[in-house]
Amino acid sequence: MYSLLFRNDISWNLAMALGNLPWAFRALGDLLNESSKTTGPSNIGSSLIFLFASAAAYGGLTAADWAGNAFKAASLFALTSGLPCLFAPAEASKLWGMKGATEMTNGMITGVGVTLTGFGAFQAALAWGDDVITAVGKKAIVDMLCLIKAMYFSPEWASLGISKAAVYFWLILNVVAAYSILVE
C-alpha cells in the first residue's frame, strides 16, 4: 500500500508483486522447515499459499500479460482463506492442519482472519481496477466489519485479552478513512 500511495517510481505490477512476496517466502519457509510436523499449517496449505502468492509475485515482477489474473486469483484465495478463519476459527485450524490448537490458538486464527480478509479485499479492489485510494477506503470498511465481528462475536478472540481501547482506535480510524474516501 505504501508503494502505491507514496512512491511514483513503483509500478502497479511491482507493488502487487511486493505485496505477495512475503506470503510466498513464508509458505516456502514452512515447507522447507517442515512446519507441518510441529505446528502447521499442513503441507497442502503451505503449498497453496506458495502457489498463489508466488504466481502473483512472479507475474508482477516480470510484468507478465497474465499478472492481472494472478492478482485476482491471489486476492480471491486470501479472501476465501481469511473468512473461515474469521467466522469459524476452530474449524479453520483443523482445515489448515494446525497442531495442538487451543482456545488461544483459535483466538489468534481469528486475528489472522481479520488481517487476511482485509488484505484480500484490498488486493481484490486493486486487481479489479479500483484506484489505490478507493481500494484503501474499501479495505477500511472490510477491516471495520472484521474488527466488530472479532471484538463482539468471537469468544476465542476475547480470550487473548486484547485491549478494547486499542481496537476502538482502529475502528474509529477505519470509519474516518472509509467515510473520507468513499462518501462524496
Side-chain angles (χ1 to χ4, degrees):
M1 186 179 339
Y2 169 83
S3 296
L4 290 173
L5 283 172
F6 302 112
R7 300 279 308 262
N8 293 331
D9 60 335
I10 293 182
S11 70
W12 183 80
N13 277 337
L14 180 57
M16 293 295 275
L18 293 175
N20 280 284
L21 275 176
W23 295 97
F25 287 141
R26 173 62 190 202
L28 182 59
D30 285 344
L31 290 167
L32 294 175
N33 293 319
E34 299 180 339
S35 295
S36 64
K37 292 181 180 177
T38 55
T39 58
S42 70
N43 283 338
I44 292 171
S46 292
S47 297
L48 286 171
I49 294 167
F50 182 72
L51 171 78
F52 284 101
S54 61
Y58 181 78
L61 289 172
T62 61
D65 293 338
W66 49 267
N69 290 330
F71 300 147
K72 288 177 182 177
S75 69
L76 291 176
F77 179 71
L79 281 169
T80 58
S81 298
L83 289 171
C85 293
L86 179 64
F87 287 101
E91 289 75 14
S93 292
K94 291 175 191 165
L95 177 70
W96 283 98
M98 303 304 284
K99 306 276 191 281
T102 64
E103 187 172 354
M104 184 171 272
T105 307
N106 293 333
M108 290 185 276
I109 294 291
T110 301
V112 168
V114 170
T115 303
L116 200 51
T117 303
F119 174 72
F122 178 66
Q123 190 170 355
L126 290 171
W128 268 276
D130 282 339
D131 63 276
V132 178
I133 301 298
T134 303
V136 169
K138 289 179 178 180
K139 180 188 185 312
I141 290 173
V142 171
D143 285 348
M144 178 186 61
L145 294 173
C146 290
L147 285 172
I148 289 169
K149 194 281 178 202
M151 190 161 66
Y152 293 110
F153 304 105
S154 295
E156 305 89 359
W157 204 62
S159 73
L160 296 176
I162 294 172
S163 165
K164 285 193 176 188
V167 177
Y168 285 131
F169 167 78
W170 289 107
L171 283 172
I172 292 167
L173 185 67
N174 283 317
V175 168
V176 169
Y179 181 81
S180 64
I181 291 169
L182 299 175
V183 176
E184 295 178 21

